[in-house]
Amino acid sequence: MKITEVKPFLLQGARSALVVKVETDAGHYGVGEAGCSFREYAMEGAVRHFRDLIVGMDPFRVEHIWQILYRSAYFEGGRILTAAISAIDIALYDIMGKALGVPVYQLLGGACRERVFGYATLGSPTDPNCLEQCREAIAQGWPSIRLR
């Protein structure tokens, strides 16, 4: 199996994000999100640069690809580059899990919790609708709320 394409997608909405899709010649694809909000255009450029380095490589060589991406320049990464690498890394694990028919957490050492609590991200505490938004989130069953 070989990587055939790496595509960045800019998402705009309540929170800006960059999602990366890595495709293979076997029909498997993986998706990963870069975790450095409000730097999407810079991360998009990094992903486009990294594309040329990894197309044609075996997506199962996750650690090797990480090393190539991180150490491929004289100066090693920073927040932008490591966030872009992280999105590709997640997508590669997604491909591996799909190809092997196992959940990604099995590839990373197995489950360590019975459940994970999430939270709703709402607007600003100074928003006039903040209280109503909090009440709606509580009614929907969110155990925690985060305000921007």
Side-chain angles (χ1 to χ4, degrees):
M1 183 180 342
K2 301 288 181 203
I3 296 170
T4 57
E5 189 58 77
V6 180
K7 298 177 180 175
F9 296 93
L10 292 168
L11 304 179
Q12 302 295 321
R15 181 179 73 84
S16 297
L18 179 76
V19 173
V20 174
K21 181 179 182 184
V22 177
E23 300 173 351
T24 70
D25 61 356
H28 297 294
Y29 69 89
V31 178
E33 181 183 355
C36 187
S37 295
F38 304 108
R39 300 292 185 265
E40 297 78 30
Y41 296 111
M43 291 183 297
E44 179 187 30
V47 169
R48 289 185 189 284
H49 175 79
F50 290 149
R51 177 199 176 279
D52 295 337
L53 296 174
I54 67 171
V55 165
M57 295 182 78
D58 178 352
F60 276 40
R61 296 190 68 196
V62 178
E63 178 63 22
H64 176 72
I65 291 171
W66 188 96
Q67 293 290 337
I68 293 292
L69 298 180
Y70 189 75
R71 300 181 191 287
S72 63
Y74 183 77
F75 295 104
E76 294 171 350
R79 290 183 347 167
I80 303 302
L81 294 182
T82 54
I85 293 168
S86 176
I88 293 169
D89 199 50
I90 293 166
L92 295 175
Y93 276 105
D94 192 21
I95 290 169
M96 191 184 304
K98 289 172 180 174
L100 297 175
V102 297
V104 171
Y105 70 81
Q106 290 290 35
L107 302 173
L108 301 174
C112 63
R113 297 183 177 84
E114 294 295 319
R115 57 186 148 168
V116 177
F117 292 100
Y119 58 85
T121 301
L122 304 177
S124 167
T126 60
D127 183 331
N129 298 319
C130 182
L131 183 57
E132 183 55 35
Q133 291 172 352
C134 290
R135 286 184 176 138
E136 287 177 23
I138 291 167
Q140 292 171 356
W142 287 102
S144 300
I145 296 169
R146 180 180 84 140
L147 301 173
R148 281 188 234 157

